[in-house]
Amino acid sequence: GTQERDEGLRGSGERISVKANFRCRGCGACCTTHGESEFVFVNADEVRRMAAYLSLDEEKFRKRYLMRVGQRSSLRSTGLACIFLRKSRCAVHGAKPGQCATWPWWDENLENGQFTEDTLFCPGIQALRRAAKRDGRAPGALAPRPRREVSA
C-alpha cells in the first residue's frame, strides 16, 4: 500500500511538513543485502510475534531463523537475501519486524527530506524520482515540496 510519513521540523513558529507517497511494489529488493544493511535485528516481542505467525514455539523459531550478531539477534540470511524472502515475497509479512516495516523511512535513507541515492535500487523510490522529474523538481527531490503551516 501507500505509506506516508510526516517529517516535522519546528522553528520560528512554523511547522514544515514533508510528505512522500511511497508505494511498495512488493519486489523484495529491500529484503536483499545492500551495502551496510546486512542484518535484520529483532527484539523479543518481534520474535514472539513471528514465531506465533508461523505456529512455532519461540525456541524452535530462534534455532531455525535467528543468529547472534554481538549481543543482538538477527534474522538469518540465505546468501544475500533474508531467510523469509520466498519468490520476492515475505513469508512473515503479517508479522514482519519493525526494521522491515519502517523501510524506506530509516534516518540513513533520508537527507534533507529526500531519499538518498542509496535507495535507488527500490522500484517504489525510482517511481518517486520519475514523478519528481516529471513535476519539474530536482531529481534528488523525491518528496513533494514542503507544506508550511503556522503553529499555534
Side-chain angles (χ1 to χ4, degrees):
T2 298
Q3 295 177 4
E4 282 191 0
R5 164 123 178 216
D6 249 336
E7 288 290 320
L9 305 173
R10 288 198 166 92
S12 309
E14 280 188 317
R15 176 175 171 76
I16 300 172
S17 176
V18 177
K19 286 191 176 188
N21 291 321
F22 170 79
R23 199 177 103 234
C24 177
R25 303 303 200 255
C27 69
C30 58
C31 303
T32 59
T33 301
H34 297 279
E36 296 179 19
S37 301
E38 184 177 346
F39 302 107
V40 177
F41 293 108
V42 294
N43 63 35
D45 289 336
E46 292 168 330
V47 168
R48 276 191 289 280
R49 193 171 65 243
M50 287 185 290
Y53 187 83
L54 296 173
S55 301
L56 294 173
D57 66 58
E58 286 182 49
E59 186 60 29
K60 190 175 281 188
F61 179 89
R62 285 179 183 282
K63 285 181 181 176
R64 191 177 295 172
Y65 297 113
L66 298 184
M67 64 182 185
R68 296 297 293 173
V69 179
Q71 299 297 314
R72 300 170 76 184
S73 293
S74 174
L75 296 179
R76 292 183 187 274
S77 60
T78 56
L80 297 176
C82 174
I83 196 166
F84 290 118
L85 185 62
R86 312 260 166 74
K87 296 181 183 177
S88 298
R89 299 285 185 235
C90 178
V92 293
H93 184 78
K96 65 185 172 184
Q99 183 176 332
C100 302
T102 58
W103 200 93
W105 304 110
W106 301 347
D107 289 342
E108 60 266 30
N109 289 344
L110 295 168
E111 190 172 293
N112 298 321
Q114 300 173 10
F115 289 105
T116 64
E117 295 289 317
D118 294 340
T119 62
L120 292 179
F121 65 85
C122 171
I125 301 294
Q126 291 170 16
L128 288 176
R129 187 179 185 91
R130 286 191 301 275
K133 286 181 182 178
R134 185 180 60 243
D135 295 344
R137 291 178 273 134
L142 301 177
R145 296 172 198 248
R147 185 178 68 235
R148 296 179 187 274
E149 302 166 356
V150 177
S151 297

